Structures are given as structure tokens and as C-alpha cells.
Amino acid sequence: GWFTQNPLCQSIEVDGQQNVTGVDFFNYRNVYSAHGFKWHDRNGNGQYDACPTLSGEQTLGVIDCEEQLPGWTIQLWQNNQLLHTMVTSNDPNHWGWYWFESLEPGEYQVCEVLPGGWAQTYPASPSCHTIQLPNALPLTENAVVAPEYNFGNIHFGSVNGFKWEDLNGNGERDCQEDVCEPRLNGWTI
């Protein structure tokens, strides 16, 4: 984690009891953060359509927007080894966000864990973000590397119903009192 800034080495000559000053070396430690958020890509276009906010809080339940999702698992990998697992935040000020902090220079992959019934829309391919953190001196300790490494997902819909015997052939399931035309089992739909 520590790096040497110039000079890498210095030559000095010392005579007898002489004290030499000014032989200094500058070392620094590169640490970064990677962050992003998870959102419900309702229209499946792979682009985040932000929800309007009221007093800085996300407005949930608005149909024409895509909310950020808390409670999703995001993983940080390096050299095919899992380093960290985080769950996206449920804090109203950071709804759906994650942070991996104190990262040293190198290449990392940030991936999400998809639960059943969801498909990833962003990033489209590959399904993980690859992050290259350089060996350059950061502007501040724990420098945030842009861009945000976000994930978009769409929830699979479902189709359900049943087959029934249309006894009178009218194309509607008829019921009289509490007795309906019977369901038919064993059919492939």
C-alpha cells in the first residue's frame, strides 16, 4: 500500500562527525473508494430515469421513474477472489447505494448478486464493472473514483390463469351461485 515519490534513492558522503540534513524521502499511500447504486430499471432500457425528490428524499411510488433499491448484494472481486460483500443501503439519505473503501491500486470487478425473478439491464455485458485504480497520487486520501458503478435490473413479469371447460361455448367462464364451469387439469398451455 505504500509508494515512494521521487527521489527513489539519494547518494551522500559523510566525513567523520558531520551531520547531514535534507536527505528526505516522500512516501504516500494510495487508497480509493468505489461506489454506485442499484436501481429498478422499470422500462428495461439500461438507463437510470431518476425519480423526483421532495425535500431531498426519494419519492417512491411514482410510476414514471425508477427508484434506487436497498437490500441488494454487491461484491468486490480481485484476481477471481471475493474480497468484500456489501448490501445496498436502506438509509433514506443513501437509498440503494454501496461503497467499497480503502482500496489500493489495482484492477477490481464490482458485481451484483441477482435474486430469482430479476434480469440485469446495466451494465449489459459484461455483467460486472471492471475498475482500474492507478498508482498515481490521489488528490485526497480515500479519493472517490468516477464514474459511479451502478447496476440496473428489471423484474420479470408473470402470466397466470387456468383452463376451464366452456360448457355452453360462449367464451366466458360462467358461474351460477357458487358453482362455476369446471377447471381442466393436465393440459399444456
Side-chain angles (χ1 to χ4, degrees):
W2 287 94
F3 299 90
T4 302
Q5 188 72 11
N6 289 336
L8 297 176
C9 63
Q10 295 186 39
S11 296
I12 59 169
E13 291 184 24
V14 179
D15 291 332
Q17 299 293 323
Q18 181 183 7
N19 290 326
V20 177
T21 61
V23 183
D24 300 325
F25 295 89
F26 173 60
N27 294 334
Y28 65 94
R29 184 171 182 176
N30 248 355
V31 288
Y32 295 92
S33 291
H35 68 285
F37 62 85
K38 173 90 201 80
W39 89 91
H40 186 177
D41 189 5
R42 292 184 178 275
N43 60 12
N45 69 354
Q47 296 177 359
Y48 177 58
D49 303 313
C51 293
T53 59
L54 298 173
S55 303
E57 293 184 19
Q58 187 169 0
T59 306
L60 300 178
V62 177
I63 294 178
D64 293 335
C65 73
E66 298 174 338
E67 70 275 8
Q68 295 169 7
L69 298 172
W72 285 64
T73 302
I74 308 293
Q75 297 178 328
L76 181 70
W77 293 78
Q78 188 176 43
N79 299 322
N80 295 320
Q81 292 191 8
L82 178 62
L83 299 179
H84 301 287
T85 297
M86 299 213 50
V87 175
T88 57
S89 176
N90 64 0
D91 177 334
N93 295 319
H94 302 101
W95 194 260
W97 283 83
Y98 70 89
W99 288 265
F100 292 110
E101 298 181 314
S102 299
L103 302 178
E104 294 187 4
E107 185 173 282
Y108 298 87
Q109 288 73 41
V110 179
C111 308
E112 68 174 344
V113 176
L114 272 177
W118 290 82
Q120 186 172 323
T121 60
Y122 184 83
S125 182
S127 60
C128 298
H129 292 284
T130 297
I131 302 170
Q132 184 67 46
L133 302 178
N135 284 330
L137 179 65
L139 297 176
T140 62
E141 186 173 310
N142 228 13
V144 175
V145 176
E148 296 163 353
Y149 301 101
N150 303 327
F151 293 92
N153 294 89
I154 191 166
H155 192 263
F156 292 132
S158 63
V159 175
N160 58 55
F162 57 89
K163 180 155 183 68
W164 80 93
E165 184 177 0
D166 191 1
L167 296 172
N168 61 7
N170 69 353
E172 296 180 15
R173 186 168 187 227
D174 299 313
C175 298
Q176 292 181 358
E177 296 179 18
D178 286 334
V179 178
C180 296
E181 292 176 317
R183 291 185 183 199
L184 297 173
N185 295 322
W187 288 75
T188 300
I189 307 284

